[in-house]
Amino acid sequence: MFDGLFEKLYEMTAIGAFVDNPGYLLMLLISFVLLYLGIVKKYEPLLLIPIGFGVLLANLPGADLGIVAGEKIELGVDENGRMMYMNLFEIAHEYGILNFLYYALIKTGLLPPLIFLGVGAMTDFGPMLRNLKLALFGGAAQFGIFAVLLIAMASGAFTIKEAASLAIIGGADGPTAIFTTIKLAPHLLGPIAIAAYSYMALVPVIIPLVVKLTCSEKELKINMKQQDKLYPPKYTIKNLRAVKIIFPIVLGTVVIILVPSAGPLLGMLLLGNLLKEIGSDTQRLTTAATDYIMNPATIILGLCVGATMTADVFLNLKTIGIVVGGFFAFALSIASGVLLVKLFNLFAKKKINPLCGATGLSAVPMASRVANDISTKYDPQNHVLQYCMSSNVSGVIGSAVAAGVLIKFLM
Amino acid sequence: MGEAVFLMIVGMVTVFTVLLLVVGIGNVIIRFVNRFLPEEVAAKPATSAAPAINPNVYSAICSAVSTVTGGKGTVVDVKKL
């Protein structure tokens, strides 16, 4: 009666799987570290906690909660040469509910634009409209993306699609990085999302480091308000609310005609912003975008992204390459913005604080707050927050456009 | 490698073109608004009741009530307590 009891109990549990593949244990450890960083250190907790828990669930052997590779849902080619896939019911039945959510909401590219809708509803274009010229420095910061694309290709370790997905980490924009990776290299979604959000959480460390290496004390003491007094703007905005309402409509129309592939992200960002700026008439929609849509989207996105990080997918050399490459993409983006400001200052009468270039990477508004902390450290009266927000917000637009270009040419 | 260089050139040119458009469009809209819509049109009170308080304060109260009630509430009267 009790013959083989312990053997059957052993087979019932997942202990055998841990013995056969110790990688699972390592992944559990990684999930605990992510949860620790999110809960205790408060590094991007809204994302790192669902991602960390997704990693945990995906690496519990036998629970079958990990996201399966795209090839597993392929059914072969039909008579017209088109690939056929399992339907969502079959995916849910065969691979479980997390795969259902992943293939329905993430693989289709739905959630990142929905999150951008909420981001738009929380973004204020006011500082950028008051300091429009500074918006150009948000462009320089996208150089890090393309520089790391070159470096990754030169290393020979990545295909061009993988290199582009890695490089977009330099945009410092989580939804944009995830959207691009879903389109170009979905098998790298987990490590790229982790790297993107980890470095975004480390903005308070990375920006001061790069600024210290590239800027002098004299440059960091440039007082933008004094410069405004010395060289006042040509005109003031008489009706900011009207400008803020017209701006997303016109900008969306023009930019999406120019770069249609940036439409899903940029379109939703600008729609969210328009809803916010209209005010009380669309208050319910703004609340829906920032709360009822964005919050569940964030949970599902984080959980499913974490669940893509199974031991066999995550534990390889490419992950290390992504972690290292992501850091360079970030650092080069900051340095490029700083260097463009320094170049501008060589020729312009009205000097600009190089911190306005450092904030060209997205990470709104954390990058601007960090820049303001740096400037006030050198001169307590020198608040650059509003000026940095200009390049910071334009960096969101810039990285969405860069992603659009990569998707357009590589898909 | 050649493709990566091509992407870098096209990408950076596109990003700067779009941001130049942001600057240009922003300037055109500001000039347009300054010329044709220079001042905010004050929101009309929801009721015909003539408030005995500063119209700006009354507008602010109407706006706050509209926001809190999701557009369903109206201000009938404002009394100083």
Side-chain angles (χ1 to χ4, degrees), chain A residues 208-256:
Chain A
L209 178 74
V210 177
V211 165
K212 201 173 180 181
L213 291 171
T214 51
C215 300
S216 66
E217 189 175 332
K218 189 184 165 194
E219 287 170 325
L220 294 173
K221 280 184 175 171
I222 293 174
N223 189 313
M224 299 291 290
K225 279 180 188 160
Q226 280 177 3
Q227 292 292 319
D228 270 351
K229 279 178 192 164
L230 286 172
Y231 308 99
K234 282 181 191 165
Y235 43 79
T236 52
I237 304 173
K238 292 181 182 169
N239 185 349
L240 185 59
R241 182 168 180 264
V243 174
K244 282 176 162 184
I245 290 174
I246 298 170
F247 183 71
I249 300 170
V250 179
L251 184 71
T253 308
V254 175
V255 173
I256 297 171

Side-chain angles (χ1 to χ4, degrees), chain A residues 58 63-74 85-87 90-103 107 186-189 304-310 312-313:
Chain A
D64 292 330
L65 289 169
I67 303 301
V68 298
E71 296 82 51
K72 291 204 174 177
I73 64 157
E74 289 173 359
Y85 299 95
M86 285 179 171
N87 64 40
E90 289 167 333
I91 291 172
H93 181 260
E94 194 74 26
Y95 298 115
I97 195 69
L98 276 186
N99 278 285
F100 172 85
L101 290 173
Y102 175 81
Y103 282 102
K107 193 72 169 70
H187 56 290
L188 296 181
L189 185 57
C304 290
V305 164
T308 61
M309 290 172 52
T310 50
D312 50 336
V313 171

Side-chain angles (χ1 to χ4, degrees), chain A residues 10-32:
Chain A
Y10 179 77
E11 281 170 8
M12 184 193 78
T13 67
I15 295 168
F18 282 113
V19 175
D20 294 340
N21 185 0
Y24 284 124
L25 281 176
L26 189 56
M27 290 309 297
L28 290 187
L29 197 65
I30 290 171
S31 78
F32 297 148

Side-chain angles (χ1 to χ4, degrees), chain A residues 128-129 132 135-136 138-140 142-143 146-147 149-150 153 235-239 241 243 246-247 250-251 254-255 258-259 280 394 398 401 405 409-410, chain B residues 1 3-8 10-12 14-23 25-27 29-34 37-40 63 66-67 70:
Chain A
M128 189 177 84
L129 290 164
L132 272 169
L136 286 175
Q142 311 312 318
F143 180 76
F146 297 102
L149 172 66
L150 277 180
M153 284 304 292
Y235 43 79
T236 52
I237 304 173
K238 292 181 182 169
N239 185 349
R241 182 168 180 264
V243 174
I246 298 170
F247 183 71
V250 179
L251 184 71
V254 175
V255 173
L258 200 67
V259 194
S280 58
S394 73
V401 170
V405 170
F409 284 98
L410 295 177
Chain B
M1 197 65 188
E3 198 176 2
V5 174
F6 168 78
L7 279 171
M8 177 184 247
V10 172
M12 288 308 290
T14 310
V15 166
F16 272 108
T17 305
V18 167
L19 290 181
L20 277 168
L21 278 171
V22 167
V23 176
I25 289 168
N27 276 318
I29 293 172
I30 290 167
R31 285 179 190 200
F32 174 84
V33 168
N34 282 355
L37 306 161
E39 284 175 39
E40 291 235 42
S63 177
S66 176
T67 302

